[in-house]
Amino acid sequence: MSDECDHETIFTAFKSRRSARRAEAIRDAYIDPHADQLLAQMLDESADLDFDKVVIAGHLGDLTGAVGDDALRRATRVSGRGSRDLRCASLLALTMRLGTQATPDLLAGLAGSDAAVKDYAVIGLAGAGAGNNDAWKQVFDYLRSVLRRKRRAHGQSEVAFALAYLAQHLADPSRRSELVAFIRGHWDALDEAGWFAQLWPDASPDGPHLDSVADPDRELIQAWAREPLFRPLGVPKG
């Protein structure tokens, strides 16, 4: 990093006990020419799991660079009290930065034990994930597990995002038949009639015969999945 930028001042402010000073430092880092490196270093060094790290991870989603990618991957593996939001934010940020290349990171989150992290992994997959066989099977298994939950953290959105991922990746006709049969067999439990009316009416129980169901508009579904969580956050409030 160039000595022309006053990084020492930024990090001095970031180490302040005052939250307003730290927020100002995060803002200054974000608008610096070396924003990715600065925010990545802040993400690694900050001890504040409840706020600063989550804010930093979220704003790294607006940027690109190998240093930030590595820092976010480390953040997806943290544990302990207050770490859940950081892992969720880091997974989403990686997806915004890497697109389909974040699929292995998302599948690792989906394979973990934390339900909220699983939910965000599926959000990332629906917004940008690749449609390989392992991912499709894992998301289908996730959908089944969500339907068994007594309480859903985000209302019905867990169901909708899983459907959004699965419905985008139907290159194999057997996938389409399996998914539509599942949808019709679990229609009441899915409780997503509005989603299907908007994005895939053929898959509803009133749709055509199983073999005649047309694939949905993949771009339309992905656009639905990306709004609004994939919007850039922009300059942090300092």
Side-chain angles (χ1 to χ4, degrees):
M1 289 186 281
S2 170
D3 293 333
E4 296 178 2
C5 302
D6 196 356
H7 298 156
E8 184 177 349
T9 299
I10 292 175
F11 275 97
T12 298
F14 184 65
K15 294 174 184 177
S16 170
R17 294 183 179 180
R18 294 173 53 205
S19 60
R21 287 275 286 156
R22 296 198 303 274
E24 182 181 355
I26 293 170
R27 177 188 180 279
D28 289 344
Y30 181 90
I31 62 177
D32 189 276
H34 309 98
D36 192 62
Q37 296 98 314
L38 290 174
L39 289 177
Q41 185 176 342
M42 288 179 172
L43 187 63
D44 283 334
E45 293 183 2
S46 175
D48 187 341
L49 286 174
D50 294 325
F51 181 72
D52 286 348
K53 278 184 175 285
V54 175
V55 170
I56 294 165
H59 284 88
L60 276 167
D62 294 351
L63 308 174
T64 59
V67 177
D69 294 345
D70 290 343
L72 286 167
R73 286 196 174 98
R74 287 190 289 272
T76 66
R77 298 191 293 269
V78 299
S79 60
R81 182 178 176 273
S83 65
R84 169 182 280 180
D85 288 349
L86 174 59
R87 282 176 279 143
C88 294
S90 298
L91 272 179
L92 190 60
L94 273 172
T95 311
M96 292 175 66
R97 292 163 66 100
L98 299 176
T100 59
Q101 293 180 24
T103 301
D105 304 289
L106 295 167
L107 292 181
L110 185 54
S113 59
D114 190 298
V117 175
K118 287 175 179 284
D119 295 343
Y120 269 81
V122 172
I123 289 170
L125 287 164
N132 63 57
N133 288 333
D134 287 342
W136 205 84
K137 182 180 183 303
Q138 282 187 240
V139 176
F140 211 143
D141 289 344
Y142 164 88
L143 176 59
R144 293 187 180 97
S145 71
V146 166
L147 294 183
R148 293 193 294 268
R149 290 183 187 176
K150 293 181 179 179
R151 184 177 300 175
R152 296 174 190 166
H154 310 288
Q156 286 296 110
S157 65
E158 295 98 324
V159 170
F161 278 106
L163 291 168
Y165 174 78
L166 295 169
Q168 288 181 70
H169 301 289
L170 301 175
D172 184 342
S174 66
R175 284 187 184 178
R176 182 177 61 249
S177 297
E178 181 182 4
L179 180 58
V180 174
F182 180 87
I183 289 165
R184 292 177 177 179
H186 296 80
W187 184 253
D188 290 339
L190 292 170
D191 192 21
E192 285 290 348
W195 188 91
F196 284 101
Q198 176 189 356
L199 297 170
W200 197 13
D202 268 17
S204 72
D206 297 329
H209 185 273
L210 197 65
D211 295 334
S212 301
V213 173
D215 288 350
D217 185 323
R218 179 174 177 174
E219 292 184 3
L220 188 64
I221 291 180
Q222 187 179 65
W224 173 89
R226 294 177 68 89
E227 182 65 31
L229 288 176
F230 282 69
R231 290 180 185 171
L233 294 180
V235 179
K237 294 180 180 179

